[in-house]
Amino acid sequence: MAKPLQFSAIAVAMAFSLGGAHAQSTAPSTSSGDSSARTAPAAQPGTGTRNTESKKDDKVARGDRKFIQEAAESGMAEVQAAKLASAKASDPEVKKFAEMLVEQHTRSNEELAQLAKSKAIELPATAPRAQRKEVEDLGKKTGAEFDRQFVREVGIKDHEKDIKKFQNASKDVKDPELKAYVTKTLPVLQEHLAQAKQLPQAGGEKMGGSAAGDTARMGAGGSGKSSAPAAGSGSRY
């Protein structure tokens, strides 16, 4: 009886050994699967969209892109200041001037935003911190002091800076649509400057000098003649 029992034990052991080997040979290789996952990760949602926009953005010259972003920033700041002045100005003429700036700069900002969108250029959501701080400081003024600072800082100084940027852009930008926007907007900025210099708060000859002469010197193309329409002509961006 001992021999049959011994043979049976050996047979059972061999069966378990063969079964384990078969299971090992048919089991999927986890290391192979892990290696495949590491070398070929799944695509992330939105990747294709971002790549497409990046390629389109690359077609815009760096200088063009920088000008669009800076023009948008200054445009937003000037609208904020003009809205403040349209509510706080004590002089009716300053208030009227501010309301005109709100209307025309808002329209220009919207046009620039559409142009930027067509070029896949992302614009800032707000004006830079420094410019927002200037608007906040302006808001602390009242009465004649407020009117004077708004006219001199926003009406004159900010528009002088804008005109210089647009004059440079009229020569430097590469994109035809952007150049057309600059060409159309520059004369209106010159008109704004001329109107600001006609206000009593401009400080007369000390601040503004001859409005017609200054505007003529700033005219695009260096012709020596003002390309800005007469004040109050109702031109728009």
mmCIF file with all atom_site columns, all heavy atoms in Angstrom, residues 78 152-167 186 189-190 192-193 197 207-209 214 218:
data_model
loop_
_atom_site.group_PDB
_atom_site.id
_atom_site.type_symbol
_atom_site.label_atom_id
_atom_site.label_alt_id
_atom_site.label_comp_id
_atom_site.label_asym_id
_atom_site.label_entity_id
_atom_site.label_seq_id
_atom_site.pdbx_PDB_ins_code
_atom_site.Cartn_x
_atom_site.Cartn_y
_atom_site.Cartn_z
_atom_site.occupancy
_atom_site.B_iso_or_equiv
_atom_site.pdbx_formal_charge
_atom_site.auth_seq_id
_atom_site.auth_comp_id
_atom_site.auth_asym_id
_atom_site.auth_atom_id
_atom_site.pdbx_PDB_model_num
ATOM 1   N N   . GLU A 1 78  ? -7.362  104.527 -20.631 1.00 0.00 ? 78  GLU A N   1
ATOM 2   C CA  . GLU A 1 78  ? -7.939  105.821 -20.993 1.00 0.00 ? 78  GLU A CA  1
ATOM 3   C C   . GLU A 1 78  ? -9.467  105.794 -20.922 1.00 0.00 ? 78  GLU A C   1
ATOM 4   O O   . GLU A 1 78  ? -10.088 106.793 -20.553 1.00 0.00 ? 78  GLU A O   1
ATOM 5   C CB  . GLU A 1 78  ? -7.442  106.230 -22.378 1.00 0.00 ? 78  GLU A CB  1
ATOM 6   C CG  . GLU A 1 78  ? -5.977  106.678 -22.341 1.00 0.00 ? 78  GLU A CG  1
ATOM 7   C CD  . GLU A 1 78  ? -5.346  106.768 -23.714 1.00 0.00 ? 78  GLU A CD  1
ATOM 8   O OE1 . GLU A 1 78  ? -6.091  106.851 -24.713 1.00 0.00 ? 78  GLU A OE1 1
ATOM 9   O OE2 . GLU A 1 78  ? -4.103  106.760 -23.791 1.00 0.00 ? 78  GLU A OE2 1
ATOM 10  N N   . ARG A 1 152 ? -4.753  117.412 -18.414 1.00 0.00 ? 152 ARG A N   1
ATOM 11  C CA  . ARG A 1 152 ? -3.310  117.433 -18.653 1.00 0.00 ? 152 ARG A CA  1
ATOM 12  C C   . ARG A 1 152 ? -2.707  116.034 -18.756 1.00 0.00 ? 152 ARG A C   1
ATOM 13  O O   . ARG A 1 152 ? -1.838  115.808 -19.605 1.00 0.00 ? 152 ARG A O   1
ATOM 14  C CB  . ARG A 1 152 ? -2.622  118.235 -17.538 1.00 0.00 ? 152 ARG A CB  1
ATOM 15  C CG  . ARG A 1 152 ? -3.001  119.703 -17.542 1.00 0.00 ? 152 ARG A CG  1
ATOM 16  C CD  . ARG A 1 152 ? -2.231  120.493 -16.497 1.00 0.00 ? 152 ARG A CD  1
ATOM 17  N NE  . ARG A 1 152 ? -2.615  121.895 -16.493 1.00 0.00 ? 152 ARG A NE  1
ATOM 18  C CZ  . ARG A 1 152 ? -2.005  122.845 -15.787 1.00 0.00 ? 152 ARG A CZ  1
ATOM 19  N NH1 . ARG A 1 152 ? -0.982  122.536 -15.011 1.00 0.00 ? 152 ARG A NH1 1
ATOM 20  N NH2 . ARG A 1 152 ? -2.418  124.090 -15.841 1.00 0.00 ? 152 ARG A NH2 1
ATOM 21  N N   . GLU A 1 153 ? -3.168  115.130 -17.886 1.00 0.00 ? 153 GLU A N   1
ATOM 22  C CA  . GLU A 1 153 ? -2.564  113.797 -17.866 1.00 0.00 ? 153 GLU A CA  1
ATOM 23  C C   . GLU A 1 153 ? -3.158  112.870 -18.926 1.00 0.00 ? 153 GLU A C   1
ATOM 24  O O   . GLU A 1 153 ? -2.426  112.180 -19.637 1.00 0.00 ? 153 GLU A O   1
ATOM 25  C CB  . GLU A 1 153 ? -2.743  113.167 -16.474 1.00 0.00 ? 153 GLU A CB  1
ATOM 26  C CG  . GLU A 1 153 ? -2.019  113.906 -15.358 1.00 0.00 ? 153 GLU A CG  1
ATOM 27  C CD  . GLU A 1 153 ? -0.521  113.949 -15.556 1.00 0.00 ? 153 GLU A CD  1
ATOM 28  O OE1 . GLU A 1 153 ? 0.046   112.965 -16.081 1.00 0.00 ? 153 GLU A OE1 1
ATOM 29  O OE2 . GLU A 1 153 ? 0.099   114.969 -15.197 1.00 0.00 ? 153 GLU A OE2 1
ATOM 30  N N   . VAL A 1 154 ? -4.479  112.842 -19.019 1.00 0.00 ? 154 VAL A N   1
ATOM 31  C CA  . VAL A 1 154 ? -5.141  111.928 -19.960 1.00 0.00 ? 154 VAL A CA  1
ATOM 32  C C   . VAL A 1 154 ? -5.329  112.587 -21.326 1.00 0.00 ? 154 VAL A C   1
ATOM 33  O O   . VAL A 1 154 ? -4.974  112.018 -22.361 1.00 0.00 ? 154 VAL A O   1
ATOM 34  C CB  . VAL A 1 154 ? -6.498  111.451 -19.406 1.00 0.00 ? 154 VAL A CB  1
ATOM 35  C CG1 . VAL A 1 154 ? -7.181  110.500 -20.391 1.00 0.00 ? 154 VAL A CG1 1
ATOM 36  C CG2 . VAL A 1 154 ? -6.310  110.774 -18.056 1.00 0.00 ? 154 VAL A CG2 1
ATOM 37  N N   . GLY A 1 155 ? -5.881  113.797 -21.308 1.00 0.00 ? 155 GLY A N   1
ATOM 38  C CA  . GLY A 1 155 ? -6.167  114.466 -22.571 1.00 0.00 ? 155 GLY A CA  1
ATOM 39  C C   . GLY A 1 155 ? -4.921  114.807 -23.366 1.00 0.00 ? 155 GLY A C   1
ATOM 40  O O   . GLY A 1 155 ? -4.911  114.687 -24.598 1.00 0.00 ? 155 GLY A O   1
ATOM 41  N N   . ILE A 1 156 ? -3.859  115.224 -22.654 1.00 0.00 ? 156 ILE A N   1
ATOM 42  C CA  . ILE A 1 156 ? -2.656  115.678 -23.364 1.00 0.00 ? 156 ILE A CA  1
ATOM 43  C C   . ILE A 1 156 ? -1.521  114.652 -23.309 1.00 0.00 ? 156 ILE A C   1
ATOM 44  O O   . ILE A 1 156 ? -1.112  114.113 -24.342 1.00 0.00 ? 156 ILE A O   1
ATOM 45  C CB  . ILE A 1 156 ? -2.185  117.042 -22.804 1.00 0.00 ? 156 ILE A CB  1
ATOM 46  C CG1 . ILE A 1 156 ? -3.245  118.102 -23.087 1.00 0.00 ? 156 ILE A CG1 1
ATOM 47  C CG2 . ILE A 1 156 ? -0.846  117.443 -23.423 1.00 0.00 ? 156 ILE A CG2 1
ATOM 48  C CD1 . ILE A 1 156 ? -2.924  119.476 -22.535 1.00 0.00 ? 156 ILE A CD1 1
ATOM 49  N N   . LYS A 1 157 ? -1.018  114.366 -22.110 1.00 0.00 ? 157 LYS A N   1
ATOM 50  C CA  . LYS A 1 157 ? 0.170   113.508 -22.019 1.00 0.00 ? 157 LYS A CA  1
ATOM 51  C C   . LYS A 1 157 ? -0.070  112.105 -22.562 1.00 0.00 ? 157 LYS A C   1
ATOM 52  O O   . LYS A 1 157 ? 0.747   111.570 -23.326 1.00 0.00 ? 157 LYS A O   1
ATOM 53  C CB  . LYS A 1 157 ? 0.658   113.443 -20.571 1.00 0.00 ? 157 LYS A CB  1
ATOM 54  C CG  . LYS A 1 157 ? 1.288   114.738 -20.079 1.00 0.00 ? 157 LYS A CG  1
ATOM 55  C CD  . LYS A 1 157 ? 1.858   114.582 -18.686 1.00 0.00 ? 157 LYS A CD  1
ATOM 56  C CE  . LYS A 1 157 ? 2.504   115.867 -18.204 1.00 0.00 ? 157 LYS A CE  1
ATOM 57  N NZ  . LYS A 1 157 ? 3.063   115.723 -16.832 1.00 0.00 ? 157 LYS A NZ  1
ATOM 58  N N   . ASP A 1 158 ? -1.173  111.484 -22.158 1.00 0.00 ? 158 ASP A N   1
ATOM 59  C CA  . ASP A 1 158 ? -1.438  110.125 -22.637 1.00 0.00 ? 158 ASP A CA  1
ATOM 60  C C   . ASP A 1 158 ? -1.636  110.090 -24.148 1.00 0.00 ? 158 ASP A C   1
ATOM 61  O O   . ASP A 1 158 ? -1.193  109.154 -24.824 1.00 0.00 ? 158 ASP A O   1
ATOM 62  C CB  . ASP A 1 158 ? -2.675  109.549 -21.940 1.00 0.00 ? 158 ASP A CB  1
ATOM 63  C CG  . ASP A 1 158 ? -2.397  109.170 -20.491 1.00 0.00 ? 158 ASP A CG  1
ATOM 64  O OD1 . ASP A 1 158 ? -1.219  109.201 -20.087 1.00 0.00 ? 158 ASP A OD1 1
ATOM 65  O OD2 . ASP A 1 158 ? -3.358  108.852 -19.766 1.00 0.00 ? 158 ASP A OD2 1
ATOM 66  N N   . HIS A 1 159 ? -2.296  111.106 -24.683 1.00 0.00 ? 159 HIS A N   1
ATOM 67  C CA  . HIS A 1 159 ? -2.512  111.120 -26.137 1.00 0.00 ? 159 HIS A CA  1
ATOM 68  C C   . HIS A 1 159 ? -1.224  111.432 -26.897 1.00 0.00 ? 159 HIS A C   1
ATOM 69  O O   . HIS A 1 159 ? -1.029  110.943 -28.013 1.00 0.00 ? 159 HIS A O   1
ATOM 70  C CB  . HIS A 1 159 ? -3.618  112.115 -26.496 1.00 0.00 ? 159 HIS A CB  1
ATOM 71  C CG  . HIS A 1 159 ? -4.991  111.537 -26.328 1.00 0.00 ? 159 HIS A CG  1
ATOM 72  N ND1 . HIS A 1 159 ? -5.642  111.497 -25.120 1.00 0.00 ? 159 HIS A ND1 1
ATOM 73  C CD2 . HIS A 1 159 ? -5.821  110.936 -27.223 1.00 0.00 ? 159 HIS A CD2 1
ATOM 74  C CE1 . HIS A 1 159 ? -6.820  110.914 -25.279 1.00 0.00 ? 159 HIS A CE1 1
ATOM 75  N NE2 . HIS A 1 159 ? -6.953  110.564 -26.539 1.00 0.00 ? 159 HIS A NE2 1
ATOM 76  N N   . GLU A 1 160 ? -0.342  112.220 -26.315 1.00 0.00 ? 160 GLU A N   1
ATOM 77  C CA  . GLU A 1 160 ? 0.956   112.440 -26.951 1.00 0.00 ? 160 GLU A CA  1
ATOM 78  C C   . GLU A 1 160 ? 1.733   111.131 -27.034 1.00 0.00 ? 160 GLU A C   1
ATOM 79  O O   . GLU A 1 160 ? 2.370   110.829 -28.059 1.00 0.00 ? 160 GLU A O   1
ATOM 80  C CB  . GLU A 1 160 ? 1.746   113.489 -26.176 1.00 0.00 ? 160 GLU A CB  1
ATOM 81  C CG  . GLU A 1 160 ? 1.233   114.910 -26.367 1.00 0.00 ? 160 GLU A CG  1
ATOM 82  C CD  . GLU A 1 160 ? 1.983   115.919 -25.543 1.00 0.00 ? 160 GLU A CD  1
ATOM 83  O OE1 . GLU A 1 160 ? 2.628   115.524 -24.533 1.00 0.00 ? 160 GLU A OE1 1
ATOM 84  O OE2 . GLU A 1 160 ? 1.937   117.115 -25.885 1.00 0.00 ? 160 GLU A OE2 1
ATOM 85  N N   . LYS A 1 161 ? 1.671   110.329 -25.963 1.00 0.00 ? 161 LYS A N   1
ATOM 86  C CA  . LYS A 1 161 ? 2.346   109.030 -25.977 1.00 0.00 ? 161 LYS A CA  1
ATOM 87  C C   . LYS A 1 161 ? 1.707   108.109 -27.014 1.00 0.00 ? 161 LYS A C   1
ATOM 88  O O   . LYS A 1 161 ? 2.413   107.414 -27.758 1.00 0.00 ? 161 LYS A O   1
ATOM 89  C CB  . LYS A 1 161 ? 2.266   108.384 -24.593 1.00 0.00 ? 161 LYS A CB  1
ATOM 90  C CG  . LYS A 1 161 ? 3.063   109.103 -23.516 1.00 0.00 ? 161 LYS A CG  1
ATOM 91  C CD  . LYS A 1 161 ? 2.856   108.434 -22.162 1.00 0.00 ? 161 LYS A CD  1
ATOM 92  C CE  . LYS A 1 161 ? 3.572   109.187 -21.059 1.00 0.00 ? 161 LYS A CE  1
ATOM 93  N NZ  . LYS A 1 161 ? 3.322   108.569 -19.718 1.00 0.00 ? 161 LYS A NZ  1
ATOM 94  N N   . ASP A 1 162 ? 0.386   108.110 -27.051 1.00 0.00 ? 162 ASP A N   1
ATOM 95  C CA  . ASP A 1 162 ? -0.316  107.261 -28.023 1.00 0.00 ? 162 ASP A CA  1
ATOM 96  C C   . ASP A 1 162 ? 0.072   107.622 -29.449 1.00 0.00 ? 162 ASP A C   1
ATOM 97  O O   . ASP A 1 162 ? 0.314   106.744 -30.295 1.00 0.00 ? 162 ASP A O   1
ATOM 98  C CB  . ASP A 1 162 ? -1.833  107.407 -27.864 1.00 0.00 ? 162 ASP A CB  1
ATOM 99  C CG  . ASP A 1 162 ? -2.349  106.779 -26.576 1.00 0.00 ? 162 ASP A CG  1
ATOM 100 O OD1 . ASP A 1 162 ? -1.625  105.971 -25.974 1.00 0.00 ? 162 ASP A OD1 1
ATOM 101 O OD2 . ASP A 1 162 ? -3.483  107.116 -26.180 1.00 0.00 ? 162 ASP A OD2 1
ATOM 102 N N   . ILE A 1 163 ? 0.105   108.920 -29.727 1.00 0.00 ? 163 ILE A N   1
ATOM 103 C CA  . ILE A 1 163 ? 0.395   109.380 -31.089 1.00 0.00 ? 163 ILE A CA  1
ATOM 104 C C   . ILE A 1 163 ? 1.795   108.943 -31.516 1.00 0.00 ? 163 ILE A C   1
ATOM 105 O O   . ILE A 1 163 ? 2.001   108.483 -32.654 1.00 0.00 ? 163 ILE A O   1
ATOM 106 C CB  . ILE A 1 163 ? 0.232   110.901 -31.186 1.00 0.00 ? 163 ILE A CB  1
ATOM 107 C CG1 . ILE A 1 163 ? -1.261  111.257 -31.119 1.00 0.00 ? 163 ILE A CG1 1
ATOM 108 C CG2 . ILE A 1 163 ? 0.858   111.454 -32.468 1.00 0.00 ? 163 ILE A CG2 1
ATOM 109 C CD1 . ILE A 1 163 ? -1.543  112.737 -30.962 1.00 0.00 ? 163 ILE A CD1 1
ATOM 110 N N   . LYS A 1 164 ? 2.753   109.040 -30.608 1.00 0.00 ? 164 LYS A N   1
ATOM 111 C CA  . LYS A 1 164 ? 4.116   108.610 -30.944 1.00 0.00 ? 164 LYS A CA  1
ATOM 112 C C   . LYS A 1 164 ? 4.148   107.112 -31.259 1.00 0.00 ? 164 LYS A C   1
ATOM 113 O O   . LYS A 1 164 ? 4.813   106.676 -32.207 1.00 0.00 ? 164 LYS A O   1
ATOM 114 C CB  . LYS A 1 164 ? 5.065   108.938 -29.797 1.00 0.00 ? 164 LYS A CB  1
ATOM 115 C CG  . LYS A 1 164 ? 5.349   110.428 -29.650 1.00 0.00 ? 164 LYS A CG  1
ATOM 116 C CD  . LYS A 1 164 ? 6.293   110.689 -28.493 1.00 0.00 ? 164 LYS A CD  1
ATOM 117 C CE  . LYS A 1 164 ? 6.566   112.181 -28.342 1.00 0.00 ? 164 LYS A CE  1
ATOM 118 N NZ  . LYS A 1 164 ? 7.457   112.474 -27.194 1.00 0.00 ? 164 LYS A NZ  1
ATOM 119 N N   . LYS A 1 165 ? 3.442   106.324 -30.458 1.00 0.00 ? 165 LYS A N   1
ATOM 120 C CA  . LYS A 1 165 ? 3.406   104.879 -30.703 1.00 0.00 ? 165 LYS A CA  1
ATOM 121 C C   . LYS A 1 165 ? 2.755   104.565 -32.041 1.00 0.00 ? 165 LYS A C   1
ATOM 122 O O   . LYS A 1 165 ? 3.227   103.703 -32.791 1.00 0.00 ? 165 LYS A O   1
ATOM 123 C CB  . LYS A 1 165 ? 2.640   104.181 -29.580 1.00 0.00 ? 165 LYS A CB  1
ATOM 124 C CG  . LYS A 1 165 ? 3.381   104.115 -28.251 1.00 0.00 ? 165 LYS A CG  1
ATOM 125 C CD  . LYS A 1 165 ? 2.549   103.394 -27.200 1.00 0.00 ? 165 LYS A CD  1
ATOM 126 C CE  . LYS A 1 165 ? 3.274   103.341 -25.869 1.00 0.00 ? 165 LYS A CE  1
ATOM 127 N NZ  . LYS A 1 165 ? 2.476   102.649 -24.819 1.00 0.00 ? 165 LYS A NZ  1
ATOM 128 N N   . PHE A 1 166 ? 1.666   105.248 -32.338 1.00 0.00 ? 166 PHE A N   1
ATOM 129 C CA  . PHE A 1 166 ? 0.961   104.984 -33.590 1.00 0.00 ? 166 PHE A CA  1
ATOM 130 C C   . PHE A 1 166 ? 1.772   105.481 -34.792 1.00 0.00 ? 166 PHE A C   1
ATOM 131 O O   . PHE A 1 166 ? 1.725   104.869 -35.867 1.00 0.00 ? 166 PHE A O   1
ATOM 132 C CB  . PHE A 1 166 ? -0.421  105.618 -33.564 1.00 0.00 ? 166 PHE A CB  1
ATOM 133 C CG  . PHE A 1 166 ? -1.477  104.743 -32.942 1.00 0.00 ? 166 PHE A CG  1
ATOM 134 C CD1 . PHE A 1 166 ? -1.494  104.514 -31.579 1.00 0.00 ? 166 PHE A CD1 1
ATOM 135 C CD2 . PHE A 1 166 ? -2.450  104.131 -33.726 1.00 0.00 ? 166 PHE A CD2 1
ATOM 136 C CE1 . PHE A 1 166 ? -2.455  103.706 -30.997 1.00 0.00 ? 166 PHE A CE1 1
ATOM 137 C CE2 . PHE A 1 166 ? -3.408  103.313 -33.159 1.00 0.00 ? 166 PHE A CE2 1
ATOM 138 C CZ  . PHE A 1 166 ? -3.415  103.095 -31.780 1.00 0.00 ? 166 PHE A CZ  1
ATOM 139 N N   . GLN A 1 167 ? 2.483   106.578 -34.634 1.00 0.00 ? 167 GLN A N   1
ATOM 140 C CA  . GLN A 1 167 ? 3.334   107.054 -35.729 1.00 0.00 ? 167 GLN A CA  1
ATOM 141 C C   . GLN A 1 167 ? 4.434   106.037 -36.036 1.00 0.00 ? 167 GLN A C   1
ATOM 142 O O   . GLN A 1 167 ? 4.709   105.749 -37.209 1.00 0.00 ? 167 GLN A O   1
ATOM 143 C CB  . GLN A 1 167 ? 3.936   108.410 -35.373 1.00 0.00 ? 167 GLN A CB  1
ATOM 144 C CG  . GLN A 1 167 ? 2.957   109.564 -35.462 1.00 0.00 ? 167 GLN A CG  1
ATOM 145 C CD  . GLN A 1 167 ? 3.579   110.885 -35.047 1.00 0.00 ? 167 GLN A CD  1
ATOM 146 O OE1 . GLN A 1 167 ? 4.450   110.926 -34.174 1.00 0.00 ? 167 GLN A OE1 1
ATOM 147 N NE2 . GLN A 1 167 ? 3.145   111.969 -35.657 1.00 0.00 ? 167 GLN A NE2 1
ATOM 148 N N   . LEU A 1 186 ? -4.830  106.949 -36.061 1.00 0.00 ? 186 LEU A N   1
ATOM 149 C CA  . LEU A 1 186 ? -3.884  108.025 -35.763 1.00 0.00 ? 186 LEU A CA  1
ATOM 150 C C   . LEU A 1 186 ? -4.483  109.421 -35.891 1.00 0.00 ? 186 LEU A C   1
ATOM 151 O O   . LEU A 1 186 ? -4.330  110.250 -34.977 1.00 0.00 ? 186 LEU A O   1
ATOM 152 C CB  . LEU A 1 186 ? -2.641  107.875 -36.652 1.00 0.00 ? 186 LEU A CB  1
ATOM 153 C CG  . LEU A 1 186 ? -1.569  108.958 -36.500 1.00 0.00 ? 186 LEU A CG  1
ATOM 154 C CD1 . LEU A 1 186 ? -1.086  109.074 -35.062 1.00 0.00 ? 186 LEU A CD1 1
ATOM 155 C CD2 . LEU A 1 186 ? -0.399  108.673 -37.448 1.00 0.00 ? 186 LEU A CD2 1
ATOM 156 N N   . LEU A 1 189 ? -6.663  110.273 -32.849 1.00 0.00 ? 189 LEU A N   1
ATOM 157 C CA  . LEU A 1 189 ? -5.882  110.563 -31.653 1.00 0.00 ? 189 LEU A CA  1
ATOM 158 C C   . LEU A 1 189 ? -5.338  111.993 -31.711 1.00 0.00 ? 189 LEU A C   1
ATOM 159 O O   . LEU A 1 189 ? -5.311  112.707 -30.698 1.00 0.00 ? 189 LEU A O   1
ATOM 160 C CB  . LEU A 1 189 ? -4.725  109.566 -31.530 1.00 0.00 ? 189 LEU A CB  1
ATOM 161 C CG  . LEU A 1 189 ? -5.100  108.104 -31.277 1.00 0.00 ? 189 LEU A CG  1
ATOM 162 C CD1 . LEU A 1 189 ? -3.868  107.213 -31.347 1.00 0.00 ? 189 LEU A CD1 1
ATOM 163 C CD2 . LEU A 1 189 ? -5.789  107.951 -29.923 1.00 0.00 ? 189 LEU A CD2 1
ATOM 164 N N   . GLN A 1 190 ? -4.926  112.398 -32.878 1.00 0.00 ? 190 GLN A N   1
ATOM 165 C CA  . GLN A 1 190 ? -4.441  113.772 -33.046 1.00 0.00 ? 190 GLN A CA  1
ATOM 166 C C   . GLN A 1 190 ? -5.563  114.778 -32.797 1.00 0.00 ? 190 GLN A C   1
ATOM 167 O O   . GLN A 1 190 ? -5.341  115.847 -32.214 1.00 0.00 ? 190 GLN A O   1
ATOM 168 C CB  . GLN A 1 190 ? -3.852  113.937 -34.454 1.00 0.00 ? 190 GLN A CB  1
ATOM 169 C CG  . GLN A 1 190 ? -2.575  113.128 -34.654 1.00 0.00 ? 190 GLN A CG  1
ATOM 170 C CD  . GLN A 1 190 ? -2.123  113.089 -36.101 1.00 0.00 ? 190 GLN A CD  1
ATOM 171 O OE1 . GLN A 1 190 ? -2.934  113.153 -37.020 1.00 0.00 ? 190 GLN A OE1 1
ATOM 172 N NE2 . GLN A 1 190 ? -0.818  112.984 -36.308 1.00 0.00 ? 190 GLN A NE2 1
ATOM 173 N N   . HIS A 1 192 ? -8.110  114.290 -30.775 1.00 0.00 ? 192 HIS A N   1
ATOM 174 C CA  . HIS A 1 192 ? -8.323  114.307 -29.328 1.00 0.00 ? 192 HIS A CA  1
ATOM 175 C C   . HIS A 1 192 ? -7.322  115.227 -28.641 1.00 0.00 ? 192 HIS A C   1
ATOM 176 O O   . HIS A 1 192 ? -7.672  116.005 -27.743 1.00 0.00 ? 192 HIS A O   1
ATOM 177 C CB  . HIS A 1 192 ? -8.184  112.899 -28.753 1.00 0.00 ? 192 HIS A CB  1
ATOM 178 C CG  . HIS A 1 192 ? -9.280  111.970 -29.169 1.00 0.00 ? 192 HIS A CG  1
ATOM 179 N ND1 . HIS A 1 192 ? -9.252  110.612 -28.895 1.00 0.00 ? 192 HIS A ND1 1
ATOM 180 C CD2 . HIS A 1 192 ? -10.433 112.190 -29.856 1.00 0.00 ? 192 HIS A CD2 1
ATOM 181 C CE1 . HIS A 1 192 ? -10.346 110.049 -29.381 1.00 0.00 ? 192 HIS A CE1 1
ATOM 182 N NE2 . HIS A 1 192 ? -11.072 110.984 -29.979 1.00 0.00 ? 192 HIS A NE2 1
ATOM 183 N N   . LEU A 1 193 ? -6.074  115.135 -29.063 1.00 0.00 ? 193 LEU A N   1
ATOM 184 C CA  . LEU A 1 193 ? -5.035  115.977 -28.474 1.00 0.00 ? 193 LEU A CA  1
ATOM 185 C C   . LEU A 1 193 ? -5.320  117.451 -28.734 1.00 0.00 ? 193 LEU A C   1
ATOM 186 O O   . LEU A 1 193 ? -5.192  118.293 -27.836 1.00 0.00 ? 193 LEU A O   1
ATOM 187 C CB  . LEU A 1 193 ? -3.669  115.589 -29.040 1.00 0.00 ? 193 LEU A CB  1
ATOM 188 C CG  . LEU A 1 193 ? -2.482  116.439 -28.579 1.00 0.00 ? 193 LEU A CG  1
ATOM 189 C CD1 . LEU A 1 193 ? -2.297  116.347 -27.070 1.00 0.00 ? 193 LEU A CD1 1
ATOM 190 C CD2 . LEU A 1 193 ? -1.202  116.005 -29.302 1.00 0.00 ? 193 LEU A CD2 1
ATOM 191 N N   . LYS A 1 197 ? -6.075  120.404 -25.839 1.00 0.00 ? 197 LYS A N   1
ATOM 192 C CA  . LYS A 1 197 ? -5.263  121.610 -25.702 1.00 0.00 ? 197 LYS A CA  1
ATOM 193 C C   . LYS A 1 197 ? -6.088  122.880 -25.793 1.00 0.00 ? 197 LYS A C   1
ATOM 194 O O   . LYS A 1 197 ? -5.625  123.953 -25.387 1.00 0.00 ? 197 LYS A O   1
ATOM 195 C CB  . LYS A 1 197 ? -4.157  121.607 -26.774 1.00 0.00 ? 197 LYS A CB  1
ATOM 196 C CG  . LYS A 1 197 ? -3.064  120.595 -26.493 1.00 0.00 ? 197 LYS A CG  1
ATOM 197 C CD  . LYS A 1 197 ? -1.971  120.654 -27.545 1.00 0.00 ? 197 LYS A CD  1
ATOM 198 C CE  . LYS A 1 197 ? -0.831  119.718 -27.197 1.00 0.00 ? 197 LYS A CE  1
ATOM 199 N NZ  . LYS A 1 197 ? 0.271   119.782 -28.189 1.00 0.00 ? 197 LYS A NZ  1
ATOM 200 N N   . MET A 1 207 ? 1.380   124.750 -21.114 1.00 0.00 ? 207 MET A N   1
ATOM 201 C CA  . MET A 1 207 ? 1.174   123.313 -21.280 1.00 0.00 ? 207 MET A CA  1
ATOM 202 C C   . MET A 1 207 ? 1.049   122.899 -22.740 1.00 0.00 ? 207 MET A C   1
ATOM 203 O O   . MET A 1 207 ? 1.671   121.973 -23.203 1.00 0.00 ? 207 MET A O   1
ATOM 204 C CB  . MET A 1 207 ? -0.095  122.874 -20.551 1.00 0.00 ? 207 MET A CB  1
ATOM 205 C CG  . MET A 1 207 ? 0.095   122.651 -19.064 1.00 0.00 ? 207 MET A CG  1
ATOM 206 S SD  . MET A 1 207 ? 1.228   121.289 -18.742 1.00 0.00 ? 207 MET A SD  1
ATOM 207 C CE  . MET A 1 207 ? 0.328   119.950 -19.510 1.00 0.00 ? 207 MET A CE  1
ATOM 208 N N   . GLY A 1 208 ? 0.197   123.608 -23.456 1.00 0.00 ? 208 GLY A N   1
ATOM 209 C CA  . GLY A 1 208 ? -0.153  123.116 -24.769 1.00 0.00 ? 208 GLY A CA  1
ATOM 210 C C   . GLY A 1 208 ? 0.518   123.821 -25.912 1.00 0.00 ? 208 GLY A C   1
ATOM 211 O O   . GLY A 1 208 ? 0.662   123.275 -26.987 1.00 0.00 ? 208 GLY A O   1
ATOM 212 N N   . GLY A 1 209 ? 0.929   125.082 -25.738 1.00 0.00 ? 209 GLY A N   1
ATOM 213 C CA  . GLY A 1 209 ? 1.464   125.836 -26.856 1.00 0.00 ? 209 GLY A CA  1
ATOM 214 C C   . GLY A 1 209 ? 0.398   126.006 -27.903 1.00 0.00 ? 209 GLY A C   1
ATOM 215 O O   . GLY A 1 209 ? -0.775  126.120 -27.616 1.00 0.00 ? 209 GLY A O   1
ATOM 216 N N   . ASP A 1 214 ? 1.363   122.079 -32.892 1.00 0.00 ? 214 ASP A N   1
ATOM 217 C CA  . ASP A 1 214 ? 1.800   120.808 -32.349 1.00 0.00 ? 214 ASP A CA  1
ATOM 218 C C   . ASP A 1 214 ? 1.193   119.644 -33.117 1.00 0.00 ? 214 ASP A C   1
ATOM 219 O O   . ASP A 1 214 ? 1.857   118.648 -33.398 1.00 0.00 ? 214 ASP A O   1
ATOM 220 C CB  . ASP A 1 214 ? 1.407   120.692 -30.866 1.00 0.00 ? 214 ASP A CB  1
ATOM 221 C CG  . ASP A 1 214 ? 2.235   121.622 -29.984 1.00 0.00 ? 214 ASP A CG  1
ATOM 222 O OD1 . ASP A 1 214 ? 3.249   122.126 -30.490 1.00 0.00 ? 214 ASP A OD1 1
ATOM 223 O OD2 . ASP A 1 214 ? 1.851   121.835 -28.822 1.00 0.00 ? 214 ASP A OD2 1
ATOM 224 N N   . MET A 1 218 ? 2.969   116.589 -35.426 1.00 0.00 ? 218 MET A N   1
ATOM 225 C CA  . MET A 1 218 ? 2.742   115.173 -35.150 1.00 0.00 ? 218 MET A CA  1
ATOM 226 C C   . MET A 1 218 ? 2.065   114.462 -36.312 1.00 0.00 ? 218 MET A C   1
ATOM 227 O O   . MET A 1 218 ? 1.807   113.271 -36.234 1.00 0.00 ? 218 MET A O   1
ATOM 228 C CB  . MET A 1 218 ? 1.880   115.005 -33.888 1.00 0.00 ? 218 MET A CB  1
ATOM 229 C CG  . MET A 1 218 ? 2.600   115.390 -32.626 1.00 0.00 ? 218 MET A CG  1
ATOM 230 S SD  . MET A 1 218 ? 1.571   115.090 -31.182 1.00 0.00 ? 218 MET A SD  1
ATOM 231 C CE  . MET A 1 218 ? 2.712   115.568 -29.888 1.00 0.00 ? 218 MET A CE  1
#
